[in-house]
Amino acid sequence: MKSGIGRRHFLRQTGAALAAGPLIARAQTPPSERVRVAHIGTGNMGGAHIQAFAALPEVETVALCDVDSVRLAESAKRLVQRKPTAKPETYTDYRRILERKDIDVVTCATPDHWHALVAIHAFEAGKDVYGEKPLSYSLREGQRMEQTLRRTGAVFQLGTQIHAEDNYHRVAEIIRSGALGRIGTVRLWKNGGTRGLGFPPNQKPPDTLDWNKWLGPAPYADYTPVRCHGSFRSFFDYSGGVFADFWCHIADVLFMSLQPEGLSTVDARGEVPGDGIADTPKWIDADFAFKGLNVHWTTRPPPVPGAEKMSIGAHFEGEKGTLTCDYKSRKIRIGKEVLDDLPDVPVTLPRSPGHHRNFLDAVKSRGLPESNLPYARKMTLPMHLALTSFRLKRKIVWDSVKEEVAGDPAANYLLGRTNRAPFV
């Protein structure tokens, strides 16, 4: 910028102008409103981010980063094929991206155990972040993320793209309207869990993969392919299995609809696979007691009408009726009636312009995006507690004010971990 001001300051000023009104905005907005974006992690979801942001007209993709040089080269090639004018620099160390003053936004689609560290370092470097789910590897990391975000004034969006779809908004409107009466119980589920993965031998990492950087803050482990791409969530060193992967996808509609507060107890049970080196849940069921609301998670659909046809879903039980939904559909049952909608319930929630678009608008306005970090942390927190209960094989009592497990040092210990040096 010729004036010497930083790009974040420039975007904040532009956002203030837009908020003040169209005449001021036209007077202060320069001819170019380019937002310069870098992508950290270029696998499946990283590739989706690259394509989604490249489709937005004001985005300039300037950098890509991955510890796997094959994935990095392939992602750069696909980007240029889609957008021939793109000239991204490529890196294997995300810190080189954060050193660049010309980058406004980073996306993070690394394995789960890197999410918090990348986001915190990006916030401190003056970048806004679009980060993949789950929000963080541990509960304590989520706390640190929110503390750093509030201190730096960064903008963050959790990559729960389904949050932007109409169905979740409509479910929330119906639940909030009171048409089903007070909701006392919600049942959430996702079919399937971790497979054992056998007992493969350790190997020398391929020359195209920096295994030490891939491990990063996680404890050191020798390389075997099943610990890495595609199945890393099968290991507690890096994630919490299918449960950690999908919790936020469907718990999101619960939190959108009811905004539950006052979580007091979490009781999880299940088992790990016995046929391999994987150690995250083969199945996990969990009960959560919120203030005035009971929530139950199961690995199989609950015995309620229509659930057996849904591999993932939510079932709201109210005084006057029920609502069962998944990503795209919903069924409302009031007495003997089965309905797809309640036309008398008005549209009250603004619809999303698209998850990536919403984030970019928030970057410009310095406002809160749909899946902002404080919301995402509240929504993610019960998942971490359920995994803690699962690992300890006992019910835990949660102090939602102090954010600690009452009288249980072992449980509190599992809510965070010390990062492996130097990834701190």
Side-chain angles (χ1 to χ4, degrees), residues 86-97:
K87 297 178 181 179
E89 297 287 335
T90 57
Y91 302 87
T92 59
D93 187 333
Y94 75 95
R95 293 174 298 180
R96 303 291 80 81
I97 282 175

PDB file of all heavy atoms in Angstrom, residues 86-97:
ATOM      1  N   ALA A  86      -3.566 -16.955 -12.042  1.00  0.00           N
ATOM      2  CA  ALA A  86      -3.015 -17.185 -10.704  1.00  0.00           C
ATOM      3  C   ALA A  86      -1.519 -17.497 -10.771  1.00  0.00           C
ATOM      4  O   ALA A  86      -1.068 -18.249 -11.640  1.00  0.00           O
ATOM      5  CB  ALA A  86      -3.757 -18.327 -10.018  1.00  0.00           C
ATOM      6  N   LYS A  87      -0.772 -16.929  -9.849  1.00  0.00           N
ATOM      7  CA  LYS A  87       0.669 -17.180  -9.767  1.00  0.00           C
ATOM      8  C   LYS A  87       1.059 -17.397  -8.299  1.00  0.00           C
ATOM      9  O   LYS A  87       1.786 -16.592  -7.694  1.00  0.00           O
ATOM     10  CB  LYS A  87       1.448 -16.008 -10.365  1.00  0.00           C
ATOM     11  CG  LYS A  87       1.189 -15.784 -11.860  1.00  0.00           C
ATOM     12  CD  LYS A  87       1.951 -14.576 -12.371  1.00  0.00           C
ATOM     13  CE  LYS A  87       1.679 -14.348 -13.843  1.00  0.00           C
ATOM     14  NZ  LYS A  87       2.400 -13.153 -14.373  1.00  0.00           N
ATOM     15  N   PRO A  88       0.588 -18.489  -7.706  1.00  0.00           N
ATOM     16  CA  PRO A  88       0.839 -18.688  -6.278  1.00  0.00           C
ATOM     17  C   PRO A  88       2.284 -19.088  -5.983  1.00  0.00           C
ATOM     18  O   PRO A  88       2.880 -19.892  -6.701  1.00  0.00           O
ATOM     19  CB  PRO A  88      -0.115 -19.823  -5.918  1.00  0.00           C
ATOM     20  CG  PRO A  88      -0.225 -20.622  -7.193  1.00  0.00           C
ATOM     21  CD  PRO A  88      -0.192 -19.604  -8.295  1.00  0.00           C
ATOM     22  N   GLU A  89       2.829 -18.512  -4.931  1.00  0.00           N
ATOM     23  CA  GLU A  89       4.091 -18.995  -4.395  1.00  0.00           C
ATOM     24  C   GLU A  89       3.790 -20.244  -3.570  1.00  0.00           C
ATOM     25  O   GLU A  89       2.732 -20.354  -2.957  1.00  0.00           O
ATOM     26  CB  GLU A  89       4.743 -17.937  -3.500  1.00  0.00           C
ATOM     27  CG  GLU A  89       5.128 -16.659  -4.221  1.00  0.00           C
ATOM     28  CD  GLU A  89       6.347 -16.863  -5.115  1.00  0.00           C
ATOM     29  OE1 GLU A  89       7.138 -17.790  -4.836  1.00  0.00           O
ATOM     30  OE2 GLU A  89       6.496 -16.096  -6.082  1.00  0.00           O
ATOM     31  N   THR A  90       4.722 -21.184  -3.539  1.00  0.00           N
ATOM     32  CA  THR A  90       4.506 -22.412  -2.779  1.00  0.00           C
ATOM     33  C   THR A  90       5.525 -22.522  -1.648  1.00  0.00           C
ATOM     34  O   THR A  90       6.690 -22.146  -1.794  1.00  0.00           O
ATOM     35  CB  THR A  90       4.587 -23.655  -3.679  1.00  0.00           C
ATOM     36  OG1 THR A  90       5.858 -23.682  -4.338  1.00  0.00           O
ATOM     37  CG2 THR A  90       3.472 -23.646  -4.708  1.00  0.00           C
ATOM     38  N   TYR A  91       5.047 -23.062  -0.514  1.00  0.00           N
ATOM     39  CA  TYR A  91       5.867 -23.166   0.688  1.00  0.00           C
ATOM     40  C   TYR A  91       5.623 -24.514   1.360  1.00  0.00           C
ATOM     41  O   TYR A  91       4.540 -25.105   1.250  1.00  0.00           O
ATOM     42  CB  TYR A  91       5.516 -22.064   1.695  1.00  0.00           C
ATOM     43  CG  TYR A  91       5.666 -20.651   1.183  1.00  0.00           C
ATOM     44  CD1 TYR A  91       4.623 -20.024   0.497  1.00  0.00           C
ATOM     45  CD2 TYR A  91       6.840 -19.944   1.397  1.00  0.00           C
ATOM     46  CE1 TYR A  91       4.749 -18.720   0.037  1.00  0.00           C
ATOM     47  CE2 TYR A  91       6.981 -18.634   0.943  1.00  0.00           C
ATOM     48  CZ  TYR A  91       5.935 -18.026   0.256  1.00  0.00           C
ATOM     49  OH  TYR A  91       6.069 -16.734  -0.195  1.00  0.00           O
ATOM     50  N   THR A  92       6.616 -24.978   2.114  1.00  0.00           N
ATOM     51  CA  THR A  92       6.433 -26.159   2.952  1.00  0.00           C
ATOM     52  C   THR A  92       6.402 -25.804   4.429  1.00  0.00           C
ATOM     53  O   THR A  92       6.177 -26.668   5.272  1.00  0.00           O
ATOM     54  CB  THR A  92       7.561 -27.185   2.708  1.00  0.00           C
ATOM     55  OG1 THR A  92       8.826 -26.570   2.991  1.00  0.00           O
ATOM     56  CG2 THR A  92       7.539 -27.675   1.264  1.00  0.00           C
ATOM     57  N   ASP A  93       6.603 -24.533   4.759  1.00  0.00           N
ATOM     58  CA  ASP A  93       6.562 -24.056   6.145  1.00  0.00           C
ATOM     59  C   ASP A  93       5.594 -22.881   6.209  1.00  0.00           C
ATOM     60  O   ASP A  93       5.844 -21.821   5.612  1.00  0.00           O
ATOM     61  CB  ASP A  93       7.963 -23.624   6.590  1.00  0.00           C
ATOM     62  CG  ASP A  93       8.041 -23.287   8.071  1.00  0.00           C
ATOM     63  OD1 ASP A  93       7.014 -22.892   8.653  1.00  0.00           O
ATOM     64  OD2 ASP A  93       9.144 -23.411   8.650  1.00  0.00           O
ATOM     65  N   TYR A  94       4.492 -23.046   6.932  1.00  0.00           N
ATOM     66  CA  TYR A  94       3.448 -22.019   6.955  1.00  0.00           C
ATOM     67  C   TYR A  94       3.943 -20.708   7.566  1.00  0.00           C
ATOM     68  O   TYR A  94       3.368 -19.634   7.313  1.00  0.00           O
ATOM     69  CB  TYR A  94       2.219 -22.521   7.706  1.00  0.00           C
ATOM     70  CG  TYR A  94       2.352 -22.574   9.212  1.00  0.00           C
ATOM     71  CD1 TYR A  94       1.897 -21.516  10.007  1.00  0.00           C
ATOM     72  CD2 TYR A  94       2.915 -23.663   9.862  1.00  0.00           C
ATOM     73  CE1 TYR A  94       2.010 -21.548  11.391  1.00  0.00           C
ATOM     74  CE2 TYR A  94       3.033 -23.712  11.234  1.00  0.00           C
ATOM     75  CZ  TYR A  94       2.577 -22.651  12.002  1.00  0.00           C
ATOM     76  OH  TYR A  94       2.700 -22.697  13.362  1.00  0.00           O
ATOM     77  N   ARG A  95       5.002 -20.745   8.359  1.00  0.00           N
ATOM     78  CA  ARG A  95       5.504 -19.521   8.966  1.00  0.00           C
ATOM     79  C   ARG A  95       6.014 -18.534   7.923  1.00  0.00           C
ATOM     80  O   ARG A  95       5.977 -17.315   8.134  1.00  0.00           O
ATOM     81  CB  ARG A  95       6.607 -19.852   9.971  1.00  0.00           C
ATOM     82  CG  ARG A  95       6.102 -20.621  11.187  1.00  0.00           C
ATOM     83  CD  ARG A  95       7.235 -21.065  12.077  1.00  0.00           C
ATOM     84  NE  ARG A  95       8.142 -21.982  11.381  1.00  0.00           N
ATOM     85  CZ  ARG A  95       9.220 -22.514  11.929  1.00  0.00           C
ATOM     86  NH1 ARG A  95       9.542 -22.222  13.178  1.00  0.00           N
ATOM     87  NH2 ARG A  95       9.989 -23.338  11.235  1.00  0.00           N
ATOM     88  N   ARG A  96       6.481 -19.045   6.778  1.00  0.00           N
ATOM     89  CA  ARG A  96       6.925 -18.151   5.710  1.00  0.00           C
ATOM     90  C   ARG A  96       5.740 -17.350   5.151  1.00  0.00           C
ATOM     91  O   ARG A  96       5.898 -16.192   4.749  1.00  0.00           O
ATOM     92  CB  ARG A  96       7.580 -18.971   4.589  1.00  0.00           C
ATOM     93  CG  ARG A  96       8.752 -19.829   5.007  1.00  0.00           C
ATOM     94  CD  ARG A  96       9.985 -19.032   5.398  1.00  0.00           C
ATOM     95  NE  ARG A  96       9.935 -18.492   6.756  1.00  0.00           N
ATOM     96  CZ  ARG A  96      10.217 -19.193   7.847  1.00  0.00           C
ATOM     97  NH1 ARG A  96      10.549 -20.474   7.757  1.00  0.00           N
ATOM     98  NH2 ARG A  96      10.175 -18.628   9.036  1.00  0.00           N
ATOM     99  N   ILE A  97       4.555 -17.968   5.144  1.00  0.00           N
ATOM    100  CA  ILE A  97       3.355 -17.254   4.709  1.00  0.00           C
ATOM    101  C   ILE A  97       3.006 -16.156   5.701  1.00  0.00           C
ATOM    102  O   ILE A  97       2.663 -15.028   5.323  1.00  0.00           O
ATOM    103  CB  ILE A  97       2.180 -18.245   4.542  1.00  0.00           C
ATOM    104  CG1 ILE A  97       2.319 -19.016   3.231  1.00  0.00           C
ATOM    105  CG2 ILE A  97       0.827 -17.526   4.596  1.00  0.00           C
ATOM    106  CD1 ILE A  97       1.277 -20.084   3.030  1.00  0.00           C
TER     107      ILE A  97
END
